Amino acid sequence: MANRSKYKEKYKNQKGQIQSYILIFPQNFLTFCPKQLSHSAPSLPLNSLTKKDMSNQMTKVYIWDMDETLILLKSLLNGSYAEAFAGLKDAQKGVEIGKMWEKHILQISDDFFFYEQIENCNKPFLEVLSKYDDGQDLSDYDFNQDGLSPPHDDLNKRKLAYRHRVIAYKYKHGLHDILDQEMMDQWDSLYKMTDEYTDGWLSSARALLEQCLSGNEDPTFCNTVAGGVVSSNATASRHINVLVTSGSLIPSLVKCLLFRLDNLISHENVYSSWDVGKLQCFQWIKERFNSRNTRFCAIGDGWEECEAAQAMNWPFIKVDLRPNSSHRFPGLTLRTVGFYFSIVYGNPDSENEDD
């Protein structure tokens, strides 16, 4: 595929620029940040979370990085995860696990999510072209014969919007609807192998996402509603997980499915900063969810989300691979995340000074 080497090279190099930030609050940020972009804010559905709801109820929005934060892939492929354990981890096994994930991600992206057709048409989120979708019934639509080319005109934008609609449908219904039993078994085995090799990184990250949605260390005390928005009886507040990844949109959505994050992060809440940068995505997220009672927190491992959080005056939690760190998985907890909210925003009942 024409763009494969570009995709892999960008994925390989981007995390190499990471600075040694640890735990960073707005008042302690360095002064540099990317120049703000001028893109207009997207209009995205808020599902059951309306502006009226947000003005009357505390809302916490958690903005997550994906690679080397919620999941591990690059650090497995280049051996840096194993290196952090000073010889206690088999680096070659990590590389083999990473290659298997890479194969699954690309295969499923191509076979079921049109990636081979649209890899040169990356967009920052699925709904960006929704206004071009005329609602045509796609049950008999031939996606292999419609002549899609880069969407510079309205016709091709509509063709891409059709694909985005199908991708959103498949994401919402999960991999169980599209994979056969053999592939499901391979996926399940690989997930368990990876979680065991990483001492529970994947399952621990997923558990924290659940706790963040519930606002409670015990995620059973919450009611999940459409779009990954949770109303918590224990906290009388709403909680939202949003993903901003530097990867291309379609493989990132597939990663969410493969790493079992799809019921915790809805497709509307997955953003690709590949072309526009993380600061632009953060600005869109603020415009989309912001109200007097909304609080934001970014969690990631990289310099770009750190600088973007700085520019937004949001707390930022630096995820650290090292085994002795408490800001990794397992280790990072809802209590720790809540602490950084309180440092920046103070009492949750106080007025949001950012508005």
Side-chain angles (χ1 to χ4, degrees), residues 310-347:
Q310 171 201 356
M312 303 301 294
N313 203 35
W314 294 346
F316 175 74
I317 299 174
K318 168 69 169 65
V319 173
D320 187 355
L321 282 176
R322 292 175 295 181
N324 61 344
S325 171
S326 62
H327 295 85
R328 68 190 301 279
F329 296 108
L332 188 60
T333 66
L334 181 60
R335 182 170 299 180
T336 303
V337 175
F339 172 74
Y340 292 107
F341 269 110
S342 67
I343 287 291
V344 174
Y345 294 110
N347 189 311

Side-chain angles (χ1 to χ4, degrees), residues 98-142:
K99 288 180 177 179
M100 285 188 283
W101 277 117
E102 205 171 42
K103 177 182 176 182
H104 277 288
I105 292 163
L106 290 175
Q107 180 182 353
I108 292 173
S109 296
D110 285 344
D111 291 351
F112 302 104
F113 291 88
F114 306 112
Y115 187 53
E116 191 167 11
Q117 295 181 2
I118 66 176
E119 62 177 327
N120 293 316
C121 307
N122 185 64
K123 296 297 177 183
F125 49 88
L126 284 180
E127 282 75 18
V128 71
L129 296 177
S130 59
K131 68 180 181 180
Y132 295 97
D133 189 342
D134 58 9
Q136 177 180 332
D137 181 359
L138 301 178
S139 55
D140 295 322
Y141 187 86
D142 191 344

Side-chain angles (χ1 to χ4, degrees), residues 84-289:
F85 286 80
L88 297 178
K89 292 284 185 182
D90 182 348
Q92 185 56 39
K93 182 177 180 180
V95 172
E96 292 170 0
I97 289 173
K99 288 180 177 179
M100 285 188 283
W101 277 117
E102 205 171 42
K103 177 182 176 182
H104 277 288
I105 292 163
L106 290 175
Q107 180 182 353
I108 292 173
S109 296
D110 285 344
D111 291 351
F112 302 104
F113 291 88
F114 306 112
Y115 187 53
E116 191 167 11
Q117 295 181 2
I118 66 176
E119 62 177 327
N120 293 316
C121 307
N122 185 64
K123 296 297 177 183
F125 49 88
L126 284 180
E127 282 75 18
V128 71
L129 296 177
S130 59
K131 68 180 181 180
Y132 295 97
D133 189 342
D134 58 9
Q136 177 180 332
D137 181 359
L138 301 178
S139 55
D140 295 322
Y141 187 86
D142 191 344
F143 288 99
N144 293 318
Q145 300 295 326
D146 68 348
L148 173 71
S149 61
H152 302 305
D153 55 35
D154 287 358
L155 177 60
N156 279 293
K157 288 176 181 177
R158 182 163 66 248
K159 294 173 184 177
L160 183 56
Y162 288 165
R163 287 162 172 82
H164 283 185
R165 193 207 316 170
V166 173
I167 289 167
Y169 177 89
K170 290 181 177 180
Y171 185 98
K172 183 176 180 180
H173 288 81
L175 291 179
H176 293 81
D177 274 12
I178 60 178
L179 300 185
D180 60 29
Q181 191 57 50
E182 181 180 358
M183 291 188 70
M184 290 293 296
D185 291 342
Q186 291 176 8
W187 167 40
D188 187 57
S189 296
L190 181 56
Y191 185 94
K192 291 177 179 177
M193 181 193 307
T194 309
D195 204 40
E196 180 179 352
Y197 177 79
T198 60
D199 303 316
W201 187 290
L202 302 183
S203 55
S204 297
R206 193 179 189 285
L208 182 57
L209 284 177
E210 291 176 337
Q211 291 165 14
C212 286
L213 280 182
S214 72
N216 194 295
E217 290 283 354
D218 184 350
T220 60
F221 290 102
C222 68
N223 299 313
T224 304
V225 295
V229 180
V230 168
S231 176
S232 169
N233 296 329
T235 61
S237 58
R238 290 182 183 266
H239 309 268
I240 306 164
N241 286 323
V242 178
L243 184 72
V244 179
T245 172
S246 56
S248 185
L249 181 63
I250 304 310
S252 297
L253 288 163
V254 170
K255 287 180 186 178
C256 284
L257 289 161
L258 284 170
F259 287 94
R260 304 179 180 179
L261 305 175
D262 50 302
N263 66 326
L264 301 171
I265 305 173
S266 69
H267 66 81
E268 300 100 326
N269 292 344
V270 176
Y271 292 77
S272 166
S273 66
W274 179 289
D275 297 301
V276 300
K278 290 202 171 183
L279 178 58
Q280 175 63 82
C281 292
F282 283 19
Q283 290 170 338
W284 282 337
I285 292 164
K286 181 177 180 180
E287 292 181 38
R288 180 182 170 201
F289 291 113

